[in-house]
Amino acid sequence: MRLIGKNGPGAKSAATTEADTEGWAESSENHPGALPAQRTGGLIERRPAGGYGPDSLVHVSAGQFAAAVGPYAATTEDEDGGEGHDRAGFDSASFETALAAREQAALETRHRQAADDGDPDAASRLGTLLLRRGDLEDAEPYLRAAAAAGLRAAANNLGVLLHQQGHRSEAAQWWRQAAVAGSAPAAHALGLHLRDQGEEEAAEYWLHFAADHGHPLGAYALGDLMEHRRDVRAERWFKVSADAGHREAAYRLARMREAAGDKGTAETWYRTAAARGHARAALRLGVLLEERSRADHALLDEAARWYRQSAQNGEPRAACALGFLLRDSGDLTAAAEWWQEAAEAGDGNAANALGALHASRGRAAEAERWYRSALDAGDQNGAFNLGLLCAGAGRDQQAEQWYRRAAYAGHREACNALAVVLLQRGDESGAEPWFSKAAEAGSVDGAFNLGVLYAGRGDQRQAQEWYARAAAEGHGEAALQLAVVQEQRGNLAGALERYRQAAAGGSAEGAFRLASVLDRRGDADAEAEHWYAAAADAGHRRAQVRMGVRAAERGALEIAESWYRRAAAAGSRSAAFNLGLLLARQDCEAEAMLWYTRAADAGHGRAALRLALLALRRGEPVQAENWCRRAADHGPAEVAERAGRLLGALHAELSA
């Protein structure tokens, strides 16, 4: 629905013939159901692209101009020859504005005189001018007179006026008259009116007419109507409108291409819409660029720029996304500022991020405030995070209440957490349905825990099914359970596959067992070393011992000592014993004794036997006897046998 400045069939000369190839504003594109913006009149000189339309004109009557400006005043020259201020105090820009206003007022006067003398073309132009200015009562009689004389521009603009007054049925009648006469803007307005009345077939006809006659808003509305019907032709009309500069059409086209899996074309159209100031397009463009940044890190800077533009245009989700990007780059201060801006605008995800940030800094009260803010915004993660916060503070009853609230709202991880609480309390029957709900909703931990529950009951078939579901989603510990079963069944190939899956899913035990199988097989030493190292770096003590043994075998004693010390400090008795052996070979007998003792106290039989032998060398038979007894109690068969023989010899010597 736009105003048309030039008139149609009723004009008296070629100079007054209506031109339908005029530009269109975009004010209605973000509100698909709204009528489009008014057209500007054809009597005002066109400006270059942008800055054209009712808001760019100054509407001042001749009387107002005379009162404000008065007669022209001469201007003075500056020393450099430029124009200075006039004596009335107006600069040159003010003068140009006042001059344009005076010309506008004079134009209105001429149109009014001609219209009052019965000129329908002048009546149409005057009605258009008054309508743009908002003088509906004054504009209506002139537009009616011109429309009655057969001017289609006047008929269209009269429809605009009547629609603004709430007379929609009569507006549609005048739009129909103008559309039948060939007006594309009127056809567009009529199509929107019919669509709103539920007459979709008739609406499609007129929108198609407008689109075929080069009306971008008509093409957009036609695409919108077709997409609502799931008609594949919608994409074609969105493209027509987007090619003509309609940013919402470009955004909608991009969404359609993204949904079809064509992210390259989607990115192009998001970029087009974002360059025209579309906030949601800038957000989606940032998301696509961030996804591609995994392969090209330089794209993160561009993603951040689009997020920033979208956020500055009022999109809270972009401010939130920018916050996460800044957090990942290490700028927590800036991240918190963007999260706060997004959270205060109602973004629950940003409120949760702020809460997590405060929780990590030990500010429980602030964290709780933001989690509650997220919950108020409708984000059930807020309730789940409140549960985690309460659980961490030992407020178990409150934690359960928050978990339960989030779980009943469908939060899958809250379902799992609630089930864990119930299981720890001994309520297995109460926990099972929540584990099931979590697993069915896609919680990987829920599926794994359900497997554990069935395994504890001896139902291996059900357990394996849930482990398999969790493993398929990358759960390392679930893959480990499947691998152990395969190895027990003698299916080494299947076990290796599952151990690899477990290791890739972050299971240190899975990485260690994978390395052990490869080590035993003997044909993949480099790969075995890799997985031993991965497990050792993750804190797996047996893997650390194995790394120490392998380093010692290569003669890399410093590396071996480092691994042994890490494992021994973490409580590995084997590492403590091996460290003692290594130190003893380096003539560090005193420290070696300390590590032997630690290993023996932890139940290491060989360490106890070595301490017994060292005690005998020092002439301490009682100490030696004590260590022998411990070696016999804790050592493997070979060590126990040697300790028994030594103990017998000691008894014989002590009783002699």
Side-chain angles (χ1 to χ4, degrees):
M1 176 178 60
R2 295 181 175 277
L3 297 180
I4 303 171
K6 298 181 181 180
N7 295 296
K12 296 182 179 179
S13 67
T16 60
T17 300
E18 177 184 0
D20 286 334
T21 57
E22 300 167 319
W24 290 268
E26 292 188 335
S27 62
S28 67
E29 69 182 49
N30 292 325
H31 306 282
L35 290 168
Q38 298 175 3
R39 273 301 313 265
T40 57
L43 296 178
I44 302 302
E45 181 180 352
R46 291 183 184 272
R47 303 186 181 192
Y52 171 66
D55 292 340
S56 64
L57 302 175
V58 178
H59 306 296
V60 182
S61 67
Q64 289 172 319
F65 175 84
V69 179
Y72 289 131
T75 58
T76 60
E77 274 192 355
D78 295 329
E79 291 181 3
D80 60 1
E83 289 187 355
H85 291 86
D86 62 56
R87 294 190 181 98
F90 293 93
D91 60 22
S92 58
S94 298
F95 176 78
E96 292 295 336
T97 301
L99 181 60
R102 180 174 179 175
E103 291 175 348
Q104 177 83 351
L107 182 64
E108 180 182 336
T109 299
R110 289 199 303 273
H111 284 333
R112 191 178 295 276
Q113 289 173 349
D116 289 343
D117 289 338
D119 185 345
D121 181 67
S124 177
R125 293 171 183 271
L126 177 60
T128 299
L129 190 152
L130 295 169
L131 178 58
R132 284 170 40 222
R133 199 163 68 199
D135 294 342
L136 304 188
E137 291 185 7
D138 198 8
E140 183 175 353
Y142 291 106
L143 289 176
R144 284 191 180 276
L151 275 67
R152 73 181 188 192
N156 178 67
N157 293 341
L158 179 57
V160 173
L161 184 147
L162 292 168
H163 186 273
Q164 291 182 10
Q165 291 178 332
H167 306 310
R168 299 188 176 185
S169 295
E170 187 181 359
Q173 293 172 7
W174 287 109
W175 282 330
R176 186 179 299 275
Q177 177 175 314
V180 168
S183 170
H188 169 238
L190 179 59
L192 292 182
H193 171 78
L194 292 168
R195 183 199 65 183
D196 293 343
Q197 297 298 311
E199 300 179 39
E200 291 193 359
E201 291 187 9
E204 182 177 343
Y205 173 84
W206 287 112
L207 292 175
H208 215 298
F209 178 93
D212 283 340
H213 284 73
H215 197 292
L217 289 179
Y220 171 76
L222 182 58
D224 183 57
L225 183 64
M226 288 182 170
E227 186 182 36
H228 173 70
R229 296 175 174 178
R230 303 184 184 277
D231 189 325
V232 294
R233 295 175 297 168
E235 187 172 330
R236 170 198 170 192
W237 292 111
F238 281 143
K239 186 176 185 305
V240 167
S241 184
D243 284 338
H246 195 289
R247 65 185 187 184
E248 178 69 16
Y251 171 73
R252 297 279 291 276
L253 179 58
R255 290 306 298 255
M256 293 182 77
R257 295 315 309 154
E258 185 179 6
D262 184 4
K263 290 191 175 181
T265 304
E267 183 178 322
T268 299
W269 285 111
Y270 281 137
R271 194 178 295 278
T272 299
R276 294 168 182 163
H278 196 290
R280 286 171 294 159
L283 168 62
R284 289 303 308 165
L285 177 58
V287 170
L288 291 184
L289 291 169
E290 188 176 356
E291 289 175 354
R292 289 206 291 121
S293 70
R294 298 185 184 98
D296 184 358
H297 196 71
L299 291 174
L300 281 177
D301 290 338
E302 188 181 359
R305 288 198 300 274
W306 289 113
Y307 283 149
R308 192 181 304 274
Q309 175 181 308
S310 180
Q312 289 171 343
N313 284 335
E315 178 54 69
R317 292 174 297 172
C320 180
L322 180 58
F324 282 111
L325 214 57
L326 291 166
R327 180 204 63 181
D328 294 342
S329 69
D331 192 349
L332 281 176
T333 301
E337 291 174 356
W338 283 108
W339 281 335
Q340 184 161 344
E341 180 174 320
E344 289 174 348
D347 189 283
N349 194 25
N352 275 314
L354 270 179
L357 181 62
H358 285 296
S360 68
R361 294 173 174 174
R363 302 170 184 165
E366 280 295 295
E368 182 170 344
R369 180 170 75 86
W370 285 112
Y371 287 150
R372 287 182 181 274
S373 178
L375 189 56
D376 291 341
D379 191 329
Q380 293 302 323
N381 274 318
F384 175 61
N385 287 334
L386 283 166
L388 294 175
L389 192 69
C390 291
R395 293 147 55 190
D396 295 338
Q397 186 175 358
Q398 288 177 287
E400 181 180 340
Q401 291 172 351
W402 286 117
Y403 289 150
R404 194 175 294 276
R405 175 170 175 174
Y408 274 113
H411 193 290
R412 64 191 186 188
E413 298 308 328
C415 293
N416 179 63
L418 177 58
V420 170
V421 169
L422 295 172
L423 190 61
Q424 289 174 341
R425 204 162 61 205
D427 186 3
E428 183 177 316
S429 61
E432 183 178 351
W434 287 112
F435 278 139
S436 295
K437 188 172 182 180
E440 294 293 351
S443 169
V444 180
D445 287 336
F448 174 71
N449 288 337
L450 199 53
V452 172
L453 196 67
Y454 281 115
R457 295 174 181 172
D459 189 344
Q460 291 301 324
R461 185 185 63 80
Q462 286 275 46
Q464 293 291 300
E465 287 182 7
W466 286 108
Y467 286 149
R469 286 183 61 168
E473 297 298 324
H475 197 289
E477 297 305 318
L480 173 63
Q481 296 301 319
L482 295 170
V484 170
V485 171
Q486 292 297 323
E487 187 175 8
Q488 290 172 347
R489 293 173 178 172
N491 183 4
L492 195 59
L496 277 171
E497 180 183 353
R498 287 298 188 180
Y499 280 139
R500 289 184 197 281
Q501 190 177 6
S507 170
E509 180 67 20
F512 173 73
R513 286 176 176 258
L514 172 59
S516 298
V517 172
L518 294 169
D519 204 2
R520 291 197 303 271
R521 204 171 67 177
D523 60 352
D525 188 67
E527 188 181 1
E529 178 92 6
H530 166 76
W531 290 115
Y532 277 137
D537 286 336
H540 193 284
R541 292 182 298 180
R542 292 170 66 195
Q544 290 169 342
V545 172
R546 177 54 56 184
M547 288 295 292
V549 170
R550 291 169 73 90
E553 289 172 348
R554 295 195 301 267
L557 300 185
E558 290 186 3
I559 295 176
E561 181 180 340
S562 174
W563 283 117
Y564 288 150
R565 286 188 183 277
R566 284 181 63 179
S572 170
R573 62 189 186 185
S574 295
F577 175 67
N578 289 352
L579 180 57
L581 290 175
L582 193 65
L583 291 169
R585 291 170 190 165
Q586 296 172 349
D587 296 326
C588 300
E589 192 71 34
E591 189 180 358
M593 287 283 292
L594 293 174
W595 289 108
Y596 289 148
T597 302
R598 180 178 293 189
D601 287 342
H604 196 285
R606 284 191 172 87
L609 181 59
R610 184 164 290 271
L611 286 169
L613 294 171
L614 289 172
L616 279 176
R617 283 170 49 188
R618 292 195 307 270
E620 300 173 351
V622 176
Q623 283 286 80
E625 182 179 2
N626 289 335
W627 286 120
C628 276
R629 292 185 186 282
R630 294 175 68 172
D633 290 340
H634 299 294
E638 177 191 349
V639 171
E641 183 182 350
R642 290 181 61 191
R645 289 200 304 270
L646 183 57
L647 192 57
L650 281 171
H651 281 164
E653 182 178 339
L654 290 172
S655 24

